[in-house]
Amino acid sequence: MLGQGVVLVTDHPSRSAVHAEALRSLTPCTVAGPEVEWSAHAGVAAVVADLDLNRTAAMQCLLALRRQPWAGALPVLCLMVRGSDRALRQAHLLGAAACLPFYTEPHVVVTAVLNLVDPDQGGLNATIRRCAARAAGALGDLFHAAAQAGRLDLAAVDRSVDPLLESLREGGLARWLNTLRAHDDVTYRHCLVVAGLAAQFAAHVRFPLAQQRRLVRAALVHDVGKARIPRSLLLKRGALDATETAVMRSHVELGHAILRASPDADAAMLDAARHHHERLDGSGYPDGLSGEAISDVARFIAICDVYAALTERRPFRPAMTPGEAMATLAGMGRQLEPGFVQAFGRAILGSV
Ligand SMILES: [Fe+2]
Ligand SMILES: [Fe+2]
């Protein structure tokens, strides 16, 4: 039970019903519309807002909350329809402590509320969250530089690598992945998940430390070409048409070009960025490489990348469980290196 419970304020009551139900497993949850009388809810532990922040009534609702004398440090979690920079900035200006897509699975919303209400839970979670925030911040700088200047500040990669390795050392892979679930930028989150998986995998197969770092750095930048893909396409719900698919696929060549323009990029980064969607049977892109033509680095990152994608939530399908994702990987025997897939399974399944 958290304080006086939580208020879920929504202009989509039917959509919010699953979140209200999940929150009630934790604490009393009052569902209200944007016209809610906040003074009646002094003492609540948190507010979850599933509101269209483009609407005046929704904005006024959150502004009225901020005017309450008791609401100073009250955590507000916004469930968002749009994940654009502008929408996220607006939500934070209106007092959101965190933002998640509106389709976020209910148990993840509950975890996010718990984390917001009790950020020092066990100390360890707070450390890992701080590491994740530092790593994501550095990755944000990296993608920004890639989008603006077309090349990377490789020092920013290292600013992500160290907090990531520290987190894994402190709390293990499961906590790292759990912490990232609440991160609101889908591309950074994906890169940090792939890098965490790569770190776990590389440590499990006892690569030398220098090689572990090389693989983690390559994993962090494998999708850097997405910095140059329109955000509307990255966030599109539902299937892509042929033109959109071609644009999306160009992220591998864009990423390779960005890294080639970055003097400190090493061969593993260039290889991972260009070839992580190649498949052993030649069905991948952009070069249709097959068999021996695909390097170990590209095979290794490809497995982490596919597993990450399968276990990520998407607007149009639920996330797979680790077991389901591993079964899917094992079924891709002609596309992914079977020996690596088995080793990856052993590295991951005891840890998530
Ligand atoms: Fe990719
Ligand atoms: Fe990826």
Side-chain angles (χ1 to χ4, degrees):
M1 162 103 176
L2 300 173
Q4 300 297 308
V6 300
V7 173
L8 171 57
V9 59
T10 177
D11 45 21
H12 301 91
S14 56
R15 182 171 85 190
S16 299
V18 287
H19 291 129
E21 195 183 314
L23 287 163
R24 285 192 185 110
S25 68
L26 174 76
T27 191
C29 172
T30 306
V31 178
E35 68 295 339
V36 57
E37 189 49 68
W38 287 116
S39 58
H41 296 286
V44 292
V47 167
V48 178
D50 186 359
L51 297 169
D52 179 352
L53 297 181
N54 280 330
R55 292 176 50 191
T56 310
M59 279 192 279
Q60 283 173 347
C61 171
L62 292 186
L63 289 172
L65 173 61
R66 291 188 64 182
R67 283 196 295 272
Q68 300 298 312
W70 45 268
L74 181 75
V76 177
L77 171 67
C78 277
L79 300 179
M80 310 284 292
V81 173
R82 292 175 199 80
S84 65
D85 285 341
R86 191 171 158 274
L88 293 171
R89 216 168 30 245
Q90 186 193 14
H92 289 302
L93 282 173
L94 287 167
C99 300
L100 289 172
F102 73 91
Y103 51 79
T104 300
E105 291 146 50
H107 73 274
V108 179
V109 171
V110 172
T111 305
V113 168
L114 265 178
N115 287 341
L116 287 172
V117 169
D118 186 7
D120 286 321
Q121 225 176 46
L124 181 58
N125 286 350
T127 306
I128 293 168
R129 262 198 307 279
R130 216 168 24 246
C131 288
R134 272 193 0 241
L139 208 56
D141 294 347
L142 195 84
F143 273 70
H144 185 74
Q148 300 298 312
R151 61 189 142 71
L152 298 184
D153 164 17
L154 269 303
V157 181
D158 286 321
R159 287 201 300 277
S160 282
V161 172
D162 288 326
L164 184 146
L165 293 176
E166 186 190 336
S167 272
L168 289 177
R169 232 182 3 255
E170 294 280 324
L173 181 64
R175 277 180 200 270
W176 174 250
L177 297 181
N178 243 332
T179 305
L180 291 177
R181 276 189 190 177
H183 196 272
D184 38 47
D185 187 292
V186 69
T187 304
Y188 305 164
R189 186 176 65 218
H190 170 74
C191 290
L192 291 167
V193 166
V194 173
L197 295 169
Q200 176 81 10
F201 189 10
H204 180 83
V205 294
R206 299 189 192 284
F207 281 145
L209 277 181
Q211 199 179 348
Q212 290 184 29
R213 286 185 71 89
R214 236 164 49 99
L215 284 163
V216 173
R217 282 160 53 106
L220 278 167
V221 299
H222 80 281
D223 268 341
V224 73
K226 287 187 179 171
R228 293 238 150 151
I229 301 291
R231 210 173 155 80
S232 56
L233 193 55
L234 294 175
L235 297 175
K236 183 174 175 186
R237 304 181 64 211
L240 305 183
D241 65 25
T243 311
E244 291 168 335
T245 300
V247 173
M248 186 65 104
R249 288 183 165 199
S250 70
H251 78 275
V252 292
E253 286 144 317
L254 291 168
H256 188 245
I258 289 167
L259 287 163
R260 267 209 329 225
S262 310
D264 296 329
D266 63 27
M269 287 176 165
L270 285 159
D271 197 10
R274 186 170 183 97
H275 294 308
H276 66 275
H277 288 287
E278 301 286 3
R279 296 293 178 256
L280 291 179
D281 62 1
S283 62
Y285 63 90
D287 299 318
L289 299 182
S290 60
E292 294 301 310
I294 303 174
S295 70
D296 280 356
V297 170
R299 295 175 193 214
F300 183 96
I301 301 292
I303 290 169
C304 300
D305 185 47
V306 173
Y307 179 90
L310 294 174
T311 52
E312 278 160 16
R313 60 178 184 270
R314 293 287 156 88
F316 45 90
R317 64 152 173 80
M320 282 190 189
T321 63
E324 289 167 345
M326 276 315 306
T328 305
L329 282 186
M332 294 171 68
R334 288 173 45 247
Q335 298 188 16
L336 302 174
E337 167 71 47
F340 276 16
V341 170
Q342 279 172 20
F344 179 79
R346 286 193 294 272
I348 300 301
L349 284 185
S351 321
V352 292

